[in-house]
């Protein structure tokens, strides 16, 4: 049995160092080979193979069998590393993040409590302070890391409810009036899920109409708040979005902040995507005054190329956040140390701070800014191409690196024929190893592309233009 155990674990006594070294060498070699040869692979595989092997779980398997199965998994996974994968907010992970995930798995610390992750607990708090400064907050700010933007947004609104409704125990039934909060009609789905988590229901998440650019209408927001007050309801928060998922629209965050101040409402900014603009000295001028908001969510797993999942939730007043949300863990030692599991929705959770720190340490804030600048330059160039092409139309000039466009509808073409032609155009690009998503937006269908991959440069843009031009010849 001892030998079998040495085939499955890294011996803390160094008994199987040679075997483990060979094992990981083979695994890493396959990983690098796969990642280095993805440009001409399927972008979104159709899962045509036989996957019955996943049920072969009764007996152990050796390295050769594992490598064979991993090859199948690689071949049937979404190919976000390809420069042609420009249809979603997923991209190639940086090598610091990959290493961080590997090390995190090997040390297997638990972010629930300080005694289970002493250094990483300290590192998370220190790194959050760095991001607080980058977003303009002062030393009173702080926060937590979460497993993705959905949990960050939900927790922000849970804290908003606890503070604004004075209900740390989360019992909204003690309220004499119906609590409601406001968000864009194009807000992320996590905001509606928050309505369920908060116990107020999705119907009490008031979805505010947007203008033709996809931004919250300030006039409609004021009207919705006033109407809710007239109806005897209790508004407690507004969610603004700095980079919507479908169109990359940027709400007028500073104006919304003024409304929050006027009505004494909590202001949460969903900057999960667009918050990365603060990393670039050339782009940060479009950023709002994040530091005036009560909370901000941001995902390094997107425009910082950190492997999933990795999200940060910042609170302007960290002590207020902690006092309103902390639930002590009775199974940890009673010390003055911070136990992060007491301040988050999750108790035990994956350690995402190490891969984030390694990413920033490897690349540096200035270089992240340069990559963002490149992405924005490519977006601007492609926008000009669409505007100049007689066969294409643009929804609106993009504010981020997300762009909606489509072939123009031909004279006499029915709506059904037009929708099919959009799908045909998408399929044509796909067979040229370019994935652009086809999405509903403002009751119409549009093609969405996101210039996120750092390898998508002027040469790749030239290829894309030529491929599109060839379609209309």
């Amino acid at each position: 049995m001892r030998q079998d155990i040495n085939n499955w674990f890294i011996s803390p006594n160094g008994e199987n160092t040679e075997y483990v070294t060979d094992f990981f060498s083979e695994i890493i070699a396959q990983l690098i080979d796969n990642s280095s040869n993805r440009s001409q692979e399927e972008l979104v595989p159709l899962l045509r193979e036989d996957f019955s092997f996943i049920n072969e779980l009764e007996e152990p398997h050796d390295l050769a069998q594992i490598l064979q199965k991993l090859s199948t998994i690689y071949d049937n996974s979404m190919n976000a590393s390809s420069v042609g994968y420009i249809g979603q907010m997923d991209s190639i992970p940086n090598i610091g993040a990959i290493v961080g995930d590997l090390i995190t798995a090997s040390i297997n610390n638990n972010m629930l409590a300080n005694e289970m992750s002493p250094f990483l607990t300290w590192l998370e708090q220190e790194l959050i302070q760095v991001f607080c400064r980058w977003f303009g907050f002062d030393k009173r700010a702080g926060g937590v890391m979460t497993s993705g933007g959905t949990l960050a947004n939900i927790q922000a609104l849970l804290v908003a409810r606890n503070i604004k409704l004075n209900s740390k125990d989360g019992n909204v039934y003690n309220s004499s009036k119906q609590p409601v909060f406001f968000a864009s009609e194009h807000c992320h789905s996590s905001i509606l899920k928050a309505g369920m988590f908060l116990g107020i229901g999705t119907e009490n998440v008031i979805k505010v109409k947007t203008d033709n650019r996809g931004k919250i209408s300030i006039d409609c927001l004021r009207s919705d708040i006033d109407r809710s007050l007239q109806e005897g309801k209790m508004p407690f928060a507004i969610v603004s979005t700095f980079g919507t998922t479908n169109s990359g629209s940027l709400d007028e965050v500073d104006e919304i902040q003024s409304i929050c101040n006027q009505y004494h409402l909590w202001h949460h900014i969903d900057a999960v995507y667009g918050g990365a603009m603060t990393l670039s000295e050339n782009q940060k001028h479009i950023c709002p005054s994040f530091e005036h908001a009560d909370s901000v969510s941001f995902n390094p797993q997107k425009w910082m190329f950190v492997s999933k999942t990795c999200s940060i939730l910042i609170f302007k007043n960290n002590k207020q956040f902690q006092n309103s949300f902390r639930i002590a863990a009775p199974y940890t030692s009673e010390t003055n140390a911070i136990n992060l599991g007491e301040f988050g929705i999750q108790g035990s959770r994956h350690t995402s701070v190490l891969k984030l720190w390694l990413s920033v340490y490897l690349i540096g804030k200035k270089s992240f800014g340069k990559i963002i600048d490149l992405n924005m330059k490519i977006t601007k160039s492609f926008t000009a191409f669409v505007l100049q092409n007689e066969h294409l139309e643009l929804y609106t000039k993009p504010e981020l690196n997300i762009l909606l466009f489509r072939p123009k509808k031909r004279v006499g073409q029915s709506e059904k024929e037009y929708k099919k032609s959009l799908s045909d155009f998408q399929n044509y690009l796909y067979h040229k190893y370019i994935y652009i998503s086809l999405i509903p937006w403002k009751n119409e269908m549009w093609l969405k592309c996101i210039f996120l991959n750092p390898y998508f440069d002027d040469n790749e843009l030239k290829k894309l233009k030529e491929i599109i031009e060839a379609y209309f010849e």
Side-chain angles (χ1 to χ4, degrees):
M1 187 63 185
R2 183 75 170 192
Q3 183 56 50
D4 286 337
I5 290 175
N6 277 337
N7 287 336
W8 306 328
F9 301 89
I10 302 176
S11 167
N13 300 318
E15 299 175 43
N16 59 348
T17 301
E18 184 177 350
Y19 166 77
V20 171
T21 300
D22 291 341
F23 184 94
F24 277 104
S25 294
E26 292 285 342
I27 295 291
I28 296 299
Q30 185 187 47
L31 181 152
I32 293 173
D33 180 68
N34 171 77
S35 299
S36 301
N37 295 280
R38 298 293 275 166
S39 292
Q40 299 299 311
E41 298 289 332
E42 276 195 284
L43 300 169
V44 184
L46 300 178
L47 305 182
R48 292 181 290 264
E49 297 187 41
D50 177 15
F51 301 115
S52 59
F53 68 83
I54 65 168
N55 295 312
E56 299 170 4
L57 303 176
E58 293 295 327
E59 301 295 335
H61 295 87
D62 60 25
L63 177 59
Q65 293 170 306
I66 291 172
L67 290 170
Q68 181 185 26
K69 301 306 184 288
L70 285 177
S71 178
T72 300
I73 292 170
Y74 282 129
D75 291 343
N76 289 278
S77 296
M78 181 267 289
N79 184 5
S81 294
S82 171
V83 292
Y85 188 90
I86 55 175
Q88 299 292 349
M89 292 176 175
D90 305 297
S91 190
I92 183 171
N94 75 77
I95 58 177
I98 296 172
V99 171
D101 263 335
L102 179 63
I103 295 173
T104 292
S106 70
I107 60 179
N108 202 29
N109 279 206
N110 189 342
M111 300 304 288
L112 169 69
N114 183 75
E115 65 187 82
M116 302 175 189
S117 55
F119 174 77
L120 295 174
T121 294
W122 173 84
L123 180 61
E124 179 168 315
Q125 293 174 88
E126 289 296 308
L127 196 54
I128 285 176
Q129 284 301 312
V130 171
F131 277 88
C132 286
R133 292 194 296 272
W134 288 352
F135 276 81
F137 289 93
D138 61 28
K139 292 181 179 180
R140 294 174 299 170
V144 291
M145 296 191 70
T146 68
S147 297
T150 290
L151 283 178
N153 286 335
I154 288 173
Q155 182 165 359
L157 288 162
L158 284 168
V159 172
R161 177 201 62 188
N162 289 358
I163 292 173
K164 288 298 184 179
L165 303 184
N166 193 27
S167 60
K168 182 182 177 182
D169 62 1
N171 188 351
V172 297
Y173 296 104
N174 289 333
S175 301
S176 59
K177 300 178 181 180
Q178 175 62 57
V180 296
F181 70 89
F182 307 85
S184 165
E185 62 179 329
H186 300 300
C187 67
H188 190 262
S189 60
S190 61
I191 306 303
L192 294 177
K193 290 179 181 178
M196 295 190 288
F197 272 82
L198 269 59
I200 65 173
T202 57
E203 70 273 15
N204 288 304
V205 180
I206 310 300
K207 300 179 76 173
V208 184
K209 291 186 179 300
T210 58
D211 60 22
N212 59 359
R213 299 168 297 170
K215 301 170 182 280
I216 280 183
S217 165
I218 299 300
D219 289 339
C220 289
L221 175 60
R222 287 187 179 277
S223 296
D224 287 344
I225 295 172
D226 290 338
R227 185 181 305 109
S228 294
L229 290 170
Q230 291 167 7
E231 292 173 352
K233 296 178 180 178
M234 185 187 299
F236 68 92
I238 302 175
V239 179
S240 58
T241 307
F242 195 70
T244 58
T245 303
N246 268 0
S247 65
S249 302
L250 307 178
D251 284 339
E252 301 296 345
V253 175
D254 289 333
E255 288 192 53
I256 293 172
Q257 181 65 55
S258 296
I259 294 174
C260 288
N261 295 342
Q262 177 186 347
Y263 289 93
H264 306 289
L265 305 178
W266 184 279
H267 187 198
H268 173 63
I269 305 175
D270 177 353
V272 159
Y273 192 76
M277 297 293 271
T278 195
L279 303 175
S280 166
E281 292 298 321
N282 295 321
Q283 313 297 334
K284 66 186 302 182
H285 65 277
I286 75 167
C287 292
S289 298
F290 289 116
E291 68 273 15
H292 295 317
D294 296 288
S295 55
V296 177
S297 53
F298 172 60
N299 271 21
Q301 72 188 42
K302 297 185 184 298
W303 218 339
M304 292 186 75
F305 313 100
V306 177
S307 51
K308 299 176 185 65
T309 56
C310 184
S311 188
I312 296 173
L313 176 57
I314 295 173
F315 291 95
K316 180 170 65 175
N317 188 329
N318 195 44
K319 285 187 178 180
Q320 183 188 47
F321 148 60
Q322 292 181 345
N323 291 337
S324 71
F325 199 80
R326 179 176 182 256
I327 299 292
Y331 39 81
T332 57
S333 301
E334 292 187 10
T335 68
N336 292 325
I338 291 291
N339 295 320
L340 294 177
E342 298 177 351
F343 301 103
I345 294 175
Q346 298 163 276
S348 298
R349 62 174 165 89
H350 182 70
T351 305
S352 55
V353 66
L354 183 57
K355 61 184 175 183
L356 175 57
W357 177 81
L358 277 171
S359 298
V360 179
Y361 190 74
L362 171 71
I363 298 173
K365 177 175 178 280
K366 291 181 179 179
S367 295
F368 275 117
K370 290 178 181 178
I371 294 173
I372 291 169
D373 291 345
L374 170 64
N375 296 154
M376 294 302 293
K377 173 177 173 285
I378 294 297
T379 305
K380 184 177 180 180
S381 296
F382 188 68
T383 299
F385 167 76
V386 172
L387 290 172
Q388 294 167 7
N389 191 297
E390 62 178 337
H391 301 289
L392 301 174
E393 62 179 337
L394 184 74
Y395 179 75
T396 189
K397 286 189 177 182
E399 296 177 285
L400 296 177
N401 60 336
I402 302 173
L403 181 145
L404 300 182
F405 79 107
R406 63 187 180 184
K408 292 178 180 177
K409 188 176 182 180
R410 297 195 305 272
V411 176
Q413 195 173 30
S414 69
E415 193 61 33
K416 182 178 180 180
E417 291 171 334
Y418 182 51
K419 286 183 178 180
K420 183 179 183 303
S421 72
L422 295 178
S423 180
D424 290 343
F425 181 68
Q426 181 193 31
N427 289 332
Y428 163 77
L429 294 175
Y430 185 84
H431 287 98
K432 300 292 184 180
Y433 300 104
I434 298 167
Y435 169 66
I436 293 178
S437 55
L438 183 60
I439 64 164
W441 175 251
K442 296 285 187 178
N443 299 315
E444 295 182 320
M445 300 302 295
W446 290 87
L447 291 157
K448 178 177 76 170
C449 57
I450 305 176
F451 295 105
L452 184 60
N453 193 307
Y455 286 99
F456 199 104
D457 55 14
D458 289 328
N459 288 331
E460 294 298 330
L461 180 60
K462 181 182 178 183
K463 293 177 188 177
L464 175 60
K465 291 176 181 178
E466 291 173 348
I467 289 170
I468 292 176
E469 287 171 339
Y471 182 79
F472 296 107
E473 290 179 353

